[in-house]
Amino acid sequence: MTKETKNILLVGVGGQGIILTSKIISTALLNAGYDVKMSEVHGMAQRGGSVTTQIRYGEQVYSPIIGKGQADVLISFEKMEAMRWIEYLKPDGLLVINDHEIQSAPILSGKAEYPEGIIEELKTKVKTLIIPATKIAIELGNIKTQNIVLLAPLTKALGLENIDWEKSIKNNVKEKFIDMNLKAYKKGLEIS
């Protein structure tokens, strides 16, 4: 077990499974003996608004809040959200980004344009792992498994492969979706 506290920031848009992913991560870390603190902000999640969760784990953790420049790993479920939250990543941290864009209300109404070149710009600033999680989830038969595809690179990046992630997935996902989510996790391991 690591004595140093590690920080994970998950960001995206309502409906992408960010809260569920955070529960899976937190449960797995608790079961492995870590002290874990989690904080979540929903925003206007039900309307496609920004959703973030912060997870801190280690031997003893006192606060669930991650400050700017403190996240070891930033997982972005949507490209524009990565730009919004990049300042929270440590200079030597890892950005895991889903190569997917969700058009916000201002973009859909024509009042704004979706920024181009987000991934290219981020790659010049930080270590970046690009995962086509939405595409993979659709190929597996359910777009809602994109969050589990993104979980696998996190486990590798933080050296947490020895934790029973499959057990945590089984304990946090509805029974009828367990097999599909386990396939998504395994696919995420293959590509990361």
Side-chain angles (χ1 to χ4, degrees):
M1 178 175 349
T2 183
K3 298 203 184 283
E4 178 186 1
T5 298
K6 295 285 188 180
N7 303 307
I8 305 166
L9 178 60
L10 293 92
V11 302
V13 174
Q16 289 189 289
I18 295 157
I19 305 295
L20 173 60
T21 307
S22 297
K23 288 178 182 174
I24 291 169
I25 294 167
S26 297
T27 301
L29 292 168
L30 281 167
N31 289 339
Y34 290 99
D35 185 22
V36 180
K37 301 288 186 281
M38 182 180 111
S39 171
E40 56 189 61
V41 177
H42 297 267
M44 293 291 286
Q46 68 274 28
R47 297 204 178 149
S50 192
V51 175
T52 66
T53 60
Q54 301 180 13
I55 303 169
R56 301 186 72 228
Y57 72 96
E59 189 172 349
Q60 192 164 25
V61 180
Y62 298 101
S63 168
I65 305 302
I66 299 170
K68 290 181 180 177
Q70 294 182 344
D72 294 283
V73 178
L74 168 59
I75 299 182
S76 182
F77 290 61
E78 197 276 340
K79 294 190 297 189
M80 196 161 42
E81 291 299 316
M83 284 296 275
R84 286 188 188 152
W85 291 93
I86 195 64
E87 64 189 337
Y88 282 81
L89 187 64
K90 286 180 177 179
D92 63 342
L94 173 65
L95 170 62
V96 177
I97 187 168
N98 181 13
D99 189 5
H100 182 66
E101 60 185 63
I102 296 176
Q103 309 269 324
S104 64
I107 293 169
L108 290 171
S109 68
K111 294 179 182 171
E113 288 186 23
Y114 196 96
E116 292 188 28
I118 291 174
I119 290 178
E120 292 75 15
E121 183 179 338
L122 290 169
K123 282 170 59 176
T124 67
K125 297 178 180 182
V126 296
K127 182 179 176 189
T128 306
L129 178 60
I130 303 152
I131 306 286
T134 303
K135 180 178 180 259
I136 292 166
I138 291 169
E139 288 169 2
L140 290 172
N142 190 332
I143 192 171
K144 290 187 175 189
T145 61
Q146 66 187 330
N147 59 332
I148 306 300
V149 173
L150 288 169
L151 174 63
L154 169 77
T155 64
K156 284 185 171 182
L158 292 171
L160 298 171
E161 298 100 320
N162 59 336
I163 290 179
D164 192 347
W165 292 100
E166 291 188 10
K167 178 182 177 185
S168 190
I169 292 168
K170 289 175 187 175
N171 290 338
N172 285 284
V173 173
K174 290 181 183 174
E175 190 173 341
K176 64 182 179 179
F177 299 120
I178 289 174
D179 288 342
M180 184 181 316
N181 280 280
L182 291 177
K183 285 179 188 170
Y185 180 72
K186 288 175 183 162
K187 189 67 174 176
L189 283 175
E190 288 172 18
I191 61 164
S192 59

